[in-house]
Amino acid sequence: MEDNKYHPIGNYGVIGDLETVALVGMNGSIDFMCFPQFDSPTIFAALLDSDGGGQFELAPLLDCSTTKQLYLPDSNVLLTRFLSDEGVAEISDFMHATAERSDGVLIRRVKTVHGVIRYRMCCSPRFDYARGAHHLLVDKEGFRAYFNCVNSTQPDLYLHSTVEMTECEGGAAAEFVLPAGESATFMLEMARPEDQSPTQSPHYAIDAFKDTLNFWREWVSKSSYQGRWREIVNRSALVLKLLTSRRYGSIIASPTFGLPEEIGGVRNWDYRYTWIRDSSFTLYALMRLGFTDEAHAFMSWLEKRCEESNTDYGGLQLMYGIDGRHHLTEIELPHLEGYMKSSPVRIGNGAYSQTQLDIYGELMDSVYIHDKLGGPINYDMWKDLTRILDWLTDNWRTPDHGIWEVRGGEKEFLFTRVMNWVALDRGVRLANKRSLPAPLAKWRAARDDIYNDIFENFWNDELQAFTQSKGSDVMDASCLVMPLVRFIGPRDPRWLSTLRAVEKHLLSDSLVYRYLPPGEKEKTEAKLMMPPGVADGSDSDKSSKSTVNPLDGIHGAEGTFSMCSFWYVECLSRSGDLQQARFLFEKMLGYANHLGLYGEELGPRGEHLGNFPQAFTHLALISAAFDLDRRMNESGMAG
């Protein structure tokens, strides 16, 4: 790594209030936070520019200490503990939230457990992705700082402190000493009149801590999962709840943008949006765990997207803003250095305008799941879905950009074709189950044509496997959903043969690449044998960053996809290989960070890459845990 400017992506915890989140490093620094919402501009972005991005530092001044970070059990209240010969210090970080409201207040409380310890705090926000200027005013008593944003639509900020602060290079700073048993509190909130600010209560921080802790514990206690991996499943559920918008019911893919899939590379995307593709996986996970309120809220969000759709491409985009907005224009932020010089840093996501026909399969699967486990579909949505499926019956042969949102041209992708089959299959099933009016003969005919097309045109005789696109010889891990969506039996000979091809071409121990050009797996594994520094962004590894991947049209390489690794586990479970499925599942659990969180990918040394934490990874974990646990119980397996 380049000196100590940037900490590993996996060295962060996440806190939030169902409106936004903050990433807290093991050193006590908040290095990423959008405000006031998930997709608002950042106020802290040191994770993407260590010098100019802005951060909220808080830490003891100790000569030598070790750090531990943990969540208070069954909550999203984060505790960072510093241990040294001089004493023990703790920082509690959370954002106030209850079942009824979020106050929009970030609370940081530092306490000396043992010894007499000196601390330093420096809150240096940089508004509007570090593009906006601000004025700072610390009141004469030194207990409140006012950050006035002068050229952005972001709200101004107040920082309240129980210790005296001073101005320091655009930030509010303090150095103070706390003996054992004493604490100091800092509260950052949107500027508002004093009579409207909840922080004016002298006991607000203590009451907010109790309220927030109780809220998370009461929420996760509703989980119906009582299986073998309850702790990590509940942690994944808590992550998904953190990424849920209280206001809109939508769930974002990840709360960050610009974190690289390859250190020093260009694969740096903005994931602070809601993908239709995630819908069925999200609803499945939430409904299976008993979180029906969240599932209903997300379903309502999906209904609104169907209502406002038109006839172009079936009427739906593949992704939306959390509020349902359609335009997510992608731009670059050249003033930000990027995590370890991984540039460009992008906001917005140009893929929103791509053609991706698989989304209709995920949409219909989510409707089917909700109808089965939540409540029957209403008349108006069925009308919208009938129109969409009618369009699909005429257009399912259209090439698109696929699940991985490639930028190298449209193809006829296997995953898209399978999800087209799912869309029509679930439509037929739903119409029959609820006696709903539908052109069933037309839908069945198209569904059957798609089924035959997949077996005739996406099967590679030489590989004895279903491949990425029509006529290709490339394996793609997205094929792992085929038995998960019940397109093919998990023990069908053609499927087992495909699974073996995935293992040969994409599996590295317990980790799965999403796709690789032929022969690339051997090159990738050879890099893992190189000394540290050779395959992690050094000059000798520049060639991979300047090469366009022929499978997606984007420069650079990437790590293994944790979501695909959990899909692989579930495929093993469904095929009956429970011992191997459990072995690989528990190995995958070992790649979580110290708090049980996962990014999008894992790098050559098991480091987390891509945006963090990643909802889809945690969704796949929940699904694999649920299926494996159930099948182990049915088979009478011990443990």
Side-chain angles (χ1 to χ4, degrees):
M1 271 202 175
E2 179 191 321
D3 56 52
N4 293 315
K5 288 174 61 177
Y6 294 97
H7 300 280
I9 293 171
N11 275 22
Y12 286 87
V14 60
I15 58 174
D17 63 353
L18 311 183
E19 299 287 350
T20 189
V21 304
L23 267 60
V24 186
M26 293 186 70
N27 63 346
S29 178
I30 293 179
D31 290 341
F32 187 93
M33 183 177 177
C34 296
F35 191 80
Q37 295 192 113
F38 295 110
D39 54 357
S40 299
T42 54
I43 56 174
F44 304 124
L47 191 57
L48 298 171
D49 192 309
S50 61
D51 296 326
Q55 62 192 139
F56 191 163
E57 300 173 274
L58 179 60
L61 300 176
L62 299 170
D63 291 333
C64 183
S65 66
T66 57
T67 308
K68 294 185 177 181
Q69 200 172 51
L70 63 147
Y71 285 111
L72 295 183
D74 292 334
S75 83
N76 284 314
V77 175
L78 188 65
L79 191 70
T80 307
R81 183 175 291 148
F82 301 83
L83 305 101
S84 77
D85 292 338
E86 301 171 62
V88 176
E90 290 181 346
I91 302 174
S92 302
D93 284 304
F94 63 98
M95 298 178 71
H96 180 243
T98 69
E100 294 77 28
R101 74 182 199 280
S102 301
D103 288 340
V105 182
L106 167 66
I107 302 175
R108 314 200 70 189
R109 185 170 181 264
V110 62
K111 177 181 180 180
T112 298
V113 179
H114 297 301
V116 178
I117 299 177
R118 177 175 290 276
Y119 299 85
R120 182 176 186 273
M121 183 282 301
C122 183
C123 181
S124 301
R126 297 292 182 265
F127 293 89
D128 190 26
Y129 303 109
R131 297 179 298 190
H134 70 273
H135 298 310
L136 170 64
L137 176 65
V138 177
D139 66 14
K140 61 182 180 180
E141 290 83 11
F143 297 116
R144 186 170 75 165
Y146 174 50
F147 298 94
N148 172 221
C149 182
V150 297
N151 58 354
S152 170
T153 57
Q154 272 185 291
D156 298 338
L157 298 174
Y158 278 136
L159 176 65
H160 306 272
S161 170
T162 58
V163 297
E164 187 175 349
M165 299 181 291
T166 60
E167 295 183 22
C168 179
E169 298 181 356
E175 282 201 19
F176 53 97
V177 176
L178 296 176
E182 293 197 7
S183 63
T185 302
F186 304 91
M187 297 182 290
L188 186 68
E189 66 167 336
M190 181 188 308
R192 46 193 153 185
E194 288 190 11
D195 62 349
Q196 297 178 22
S197 171
T199 61
Q200 295 307 301
S201 167
H203 305 295
Y204 177 77
I206 294 175
D207 292 341
F209 176 84
K210 295 176 182 177
D211 289 346
T212 302
L213 188 61
N214 289 337
F215 164 66
W216 290 118
R217 287 179 171 173
E218 289 172 7
W219 181 83
V220 81
S221 71
K222 298 174 184 177
S223 172
S224 59
Y225 180 82
Q226 300 295 324
R228 294 165 173 80
W229 302 285
R230 186 169 179 268
E231 184 175 350
I232 192 67
V233 167
N234 281 355
R235 176 51 52 199
S236 292
L238 285 162
V239 170
L240 295 180
K241 182 64 172 176
L242 269 179
L243 303 185
T244 301
S245 169
R246 179 198 299 274
R247 186 176 308 181
Y248 302 110
S250 51
I251 300 176
I252 58 171
S254 180
T256 59
F257 63 89
L259 292 179
E261 298 175 14
E262 178 187 28
I263 301 299
V266 301
R267 294 170 177 262
N268 318 310
W269 315 109
D270 188 349
Y271 280 5
R272 298 171 299 159
Y273 306 114
T274 301
W275 268 252
I276 294 294
R277 179 175 298 115
D278 299 10
S279 60
S280 62
F281 298 95
T282 301
L283 282 167
Y284 177 84
L286 293 174
M287 298 296 288
R288 288 299 187 189
L289 296 180
F291 297 115
T292 55
D293 289 345
E294 287 73 18
H296 293 329
F298 193 31
M299 195 65 196
S300 295
W301 185 89
L302 282 172
E303 287 181 12
K304 291 183 177 69
R305 306 293 77 76
C306 291
E307 290 170 5
E308 67 193 17
S309 63
N310 54 46
T311 56
D312 295 337
Y313 298 113
L316 289 177
Q317 292 181 184
L318 66 120
M319 71 174 87
Y320 296 86
I322 58 173
D323 58 354
R325 71 184 185 281
H326 291 224
H327 298 289
L328 308 173
T329 304
E330 183 177 299
I331 64 172
E332 297 179 1
L333 302 178
H335 65 286
L336 294 179
E337 177 184 58
Y339 178 83
M340 292 187 68
K341 297 185 178 179
S342 304
S343 61
V345 174
R346 300 178 179 91
I347 55 173
N349 197 312
Y352 82 91
S353 60
Q354 288 185 352
T355 303
Q356 294 188 21
L357 300 187
D358 66 278
I359 62 174
Y360 302 110
E362 287 95 352
L363 171 68
M364 288 305 304
D365 204 29
S366 63
V367 171
Y368 184 78
I369 291 168
H370 188 267
D371 182 271
K372 180 179 179 180
L373 301 176
I377 188 172
N378 63 55
Y379 169 77
D380 291 317
M381 189 169 188
W382 180 248
K383 282 179 61 181
D384 292 327
L385 294 176
T386 300
R387 171 177 50 79
I388 289 171
L389 291 178
D390 280 346
W391 179 90
L392 187 62
T393 59
D394 298 324
N395 293 275
W396 59 266
R397 294 177 179 84
T398 304
D400 70 350
H401 293 88
I403 178 177
W404 308 125
E405 298 168 2
V406 300
R407 301 194 177 194
E410 297 177 340
K411 296 181 182 179
E412 294 185 57
F413 286 102
L414 170 69
F415 182 84
T416 297
R417 203 55 49 91
V418 169
M419 297 313 293
N420 292 166
W421 178 89
V422 169
L424 292 164
D425 177 73
R426 302 308 191 261
V428 169
R429 289 173 182 265
L430 197 53
N432 285 328
K433 178 183 177 184
R434 295 294 183 190
S435 300
L436 298 169
L440 290 179
K442 180 181 179 182
W443 291 1
R444 286 194 186 101
R447 179 194 63 182
D448 295 346
D449 287 344
I450 294 171
Y451 183 88
N452 291 327
D453 180 65
I454 291 171
F455 278 93
E456 292 169 5
N457 296 310
F458 292 82
W459 175 261
N460 185 300
D461 279 327
E462 182 177 348
L463 293 175
Q464 287 292 291
F466 295 101
T467 52
Q468 183 185 65
S469 59
K470 182 178 286 190
S472 78
D473 61 354
V474 175
M475 293 304 303
D476 188 318
S478 64
C479 73
L480 293 168
V481 304
M482 295 175 75
L484 306 190
V485 298
R486 294 178 171 81
F487 173 82
I488 194 170
R491 303 186 189 189
D492 184 286
R494 289 202 183 209
W495 171 248
L496 294 178
S497 176
T498 299
L499 196 58
R500 288 193 291 271
V502 168
E503 293 163 355
K504 178 180 178 181
H505 296 281
L506 299 178
L507 182 67
S508 178
D509 191 53
S510 62
L511 308 176
V512 177
Y513 293 94
R514 58 176 177 174
Y515 49 74
L516 288 172
E520 191 64 25
K521 180 185 174 186
E522 292 74 15
K523 296 178 184 177
T524 302
E525 292 183 337
K527 286 182 182 180
L528 301 183
M529 304 302 293
M530 295 179 181
V534 175
D536 62 359
S538 61
D539 289 340
S540 59
D541 192 42
K542 295 299 183 186
S543 60
S544 71
K545 299 175 178 58
S546 60
T547 302
V548 174
N549 187 326
L551 301 183
D552 58 25
I554 305 171
H555 288 266
E558 58 188 18
T560 57
F561 254 64
S562 295
M563 170 184 71
C564 297
S565 300
F566 285 118
W567 281 353
Y568 174 67
V569 166
E570 186 167 352
C571 285
L572 289 177
S573 172
R574 292 182 181 231
S575 73
D577 193 354
L578 301 182
Q579 294 285 5
Q580 183 71 353
R582 179 178 187 173
F583 176 64
L584 295 185
F585 179 71
E586 292 179 339
K587 289 192 74 171
M588 269 302 298
L589 297 186
Y591 284 104
N593 84 339
H594 58 291
L595 297 168
L597 308 180
Y598 289 88
E600 184 178 22
E601 302 178 19
L602 293 169
R605 299 182 304 282
E607 72 274 22
H608 291 264
L609 295 173
N611 288 301
F612 180 90
Q614 181 82 357
F616 224 149
T617 303
H618 289 277
L619 289 167
L621 184 157
I622 290 171
S623 183
F626 188 94
D627 187 82
L628 180 56
D629 188 72
R630 177 173 62 85
R631 293 178 191 276
M632 288 176 63
N633 289 340
E634 290 173 353
S635 70
M637 283 182 62

